[in-house]
Amino acid sequence: MAERDDPGIIGRRVQQLRTERGLTQKQLAEPAYTPAYVSTLEAGRVRPSEEALRHIAERLGVAYEELATGRPAHLATDLRLRLTDAQRTLATGEAEIAAEQYTALLAEAEAHRLDAECAAALLGLGECALDTGDLATARLRFEQTEKRLADAPLPVRVPALRGRAVSHYLAGELRYACYLLESTLDELNRGGLHDPDALLLLYAAVIAPYMDMGAHARAAQAAEFALALAPQVGDPALLARMHRSVARTMIAEGRMAEADASLGKAAELYRQLQIRTELANCHWMRGYLYAQNGDLERAEAELREALEMHSVQRATLYTSQVAVELADVLHRRGKSQEAAALLHGVLGDLNSERGAVHSAAAHRLLGIIANDAGDTETAEEHYVRALSLLERAGAAGDLADLCRLLGDLLRRTGRIDAALDAYRTGLGHRTAPGTTTLGPAPAHPPL
C-alpha cells in the first residue's frame, strides 16, 4: 500500500473534489458518516481511516489511491509498463532512446514519490550509460539506485551493485570491482540469501575482472557456480549473459569447442530477445575465441561484425575495445598498417579512467608495430605507457608479457641493467597468486 499524504493535504483534496462535483458535506457523508466529520476531515484536524477514505472516494467517483496520495489511478502500473518498454528499447541496442524514456519516467515517478519506480528508472539510466561508455554517469546512477533501495533486501539491490562494479571494471579498477562483487557474494551466501538470479548475475560479472587480473582459478570456479545455478534461472537474457561470460574461462582452459557451444547458446538467446548489444558482444567473444585458437580469418570476420553492430548502436566504449582486438588480429594477419590506423582512431576514446586494459593493449600493439619497423624509441614510449596503465589496473598476466617485450627492447639497445629490472618485474607479476581481496574467496553458494 502506498504511503498516504498527511491529513491537511487529504482534507484540502477532499474539499476541492467535493466542490468541483457540487456536493454538500452532508451528501458526501451519508449514510455512514456525519457532515461534522467531513468538516473536521476537510479542515485537516482528523486522520481519516482507510474505511472512511474508501467511502468518500466512492462518493466522489475517484480511486482510493488517488484520494489518499494524489496520484492518478493506475499510475504505478502504467509507469511499470513503460519501464518495461524502455528496458526493451535498451535491450535492442537503442541506448540513447532508452535513456530519454527512462529520464521522462524518472521525473514522473519522482513527482509522485514512487520510490520503486524511481529506482527502476535510475537503474535503467545506469545501464544506458554503461552501453554508451559514460562510466562516471553510470556509476552515479547506480549509486543513486542503491540509495533508493537502501531498505530493500540485498537480492533486490544486486543489479545496482553489479552495475557499479562493472563501471569500475570498465574504468580499469579491477581490484575494486572484484571487491564489490566478492563481498556481495559473500554476504548473500553466508546470510543464506539463496537468490539464483542475483547469484548468477554476480558470478557472471566477476569472471571478466578475474580473468584480466590473472586469477584464472577463481574465474573457473565462478563459471562452475554460474553453470550450476543456470537451471534455476528463468530469465533468458540473464542466461545468455552467463553463457557469454563462462566462455571466457573455457577459452583460458583450452576448452575451445565448449566455449564455442556456450557462445552459440548465448547468441541464439539474444537473437530471440533482439538484444543487439549483447549479441554484438557474443560476436566479439567468438572473435576472441577464434583468435586464441589461431583461426585468424574467422576471428577477423566476427570482430568486424561486432565492431559494426556496436558502431551502429553508438556504444563508443565497446566499439573502441573491439577495435583494439580487431587490430591485434589484423597485425597477426600481416595488415599492420591498417591495424595501426585503427588503433590511432580509438586511442582518444580510451584512457586510464575508461577502458584502461584495452588502452594498454592498444599502446602495447602500437609498440610492437613500431618495433617491427625499427622505431625503437616510439616502441619504448608505447610500452612504458601500457605498463603504467596495466599497473594501475592490476592486470597481472598482461603485465608479465609487457615486461618481457620491454626487457627485450632494452636489451637490444644495450641497456642491460634496465632490461634485467624489466624481466624481474615481469617475473614478479607472473608468480603473483592472483588473489583479489584482502581475505579469502567468497563463501560458496549452497548448491
Side-chain angles (χ1 to χ4, degrees), residues 270-287:
Y270 286 131
R271 284 192 189 95
Q272 293 170 11
L273 292 165
Q274 295 181 311
I275 301 179
R276 298 284 296 171
T277 297
E278 296 292 357
L279 181 56
N281 286 338
C282 287
H283 285 293
W284 179 3
M285 187 57 69
R286 182 169 278 171

Side-chain angles (χ1 to χ4, degrees), residues 137-331:
T137 297
R139 190 176 307 137
L140 173 64
R141 293 306 192 185
F142 290 130
E143 288 170 353
Q144 290 172 330
T145 307
E146 290 181 67
K147 187 175 181 181
R148 291 272 183 176
L149 298 174
D151 297 327
L154 181 57
V156 176
R157 290 182 276 124
V158 160
L161 281 162
R162 172 257 172 200
R164 185 155 60 93
V166 170
S167 70
H168 283 288
Y169 163 65
L170 291 174
E173 299 162 8
L174 308 186
R175 190 173 296 275
Y176 186 61
C178 286
Y179 163 75
L180 285 175
L181 295 166
E182 285 188 336
S183 58
T184 307
L185 281 165
D186 200 49
E187 189 175 349
L188 281 170
N189 290 329
R190 290 189 187 281
L193 299 171
H194 187 60
D195 184 294
D197 283 25
L199 288 170
L200 180 54
L201 196 62
L202 293 167
Y203 280 121
V206 81
I207 291 171
Y210 276 158
M211 293 292 291
D212 285 348
M213 292 189 71
H216 295 160
R218 288 200 182 185
Q221 187 176 63
E224 293 301 323
F225 289 151
L227 288 169
L229 288 161
Q232 304 175 50
V233 176
D235 183 348
L238 196 57
L239 284 173
R241 180 181 290 167
M242 179 274 295
H243 279 299
R244 183 170 58 84
S245 296
V246 164
R248 284 198 71 171
T249 64
M250 292 177 171
I251 292 166
E253 295 171 0
R255 296 155 62 186
M256 299 302 180
E258 291 174 70
D260 203 15
S262 189
L263 290 169
K265 291 176 184 176
E268 183 55 34
L269 285 165
Y270 286 131
R271 284 192 189 95
Q272 293 170 11
L273 292 165
Q274 295 181 311
I275 301 179
R276 298 284 296 171
T277 297
E278 296 292 357
L279 181 56
N281 286 338
C282 287
H283 285 293
W284 179 3
M285 187 57 69
R286 182 169 278 171
Y288 177 78
L289 162 66
Y290 290 140
Q292 293 296 304
N293 209 27
D295 192 344
L296 300 181
E297 184 177 353
R298 294 175 75 184
E300 181 180 342
E302 293 286 350
L303 291 171
R304 286 193 186 280
E305 179 71 15
L307 186 66
E308 174 63 23
M309 292 174 74
H310 279 311
S311 297
V312 169
Q313 292 155 220
R314 297 180 294 281
T316 55
L317 179 56
Y318 292 141
T319 300
S320 299
Q321 291 175 318
V322 174
V324 172
E325 298 197 21
L326 175 58
D328 181 62
V329 170
L330 291 172
H331 169 66

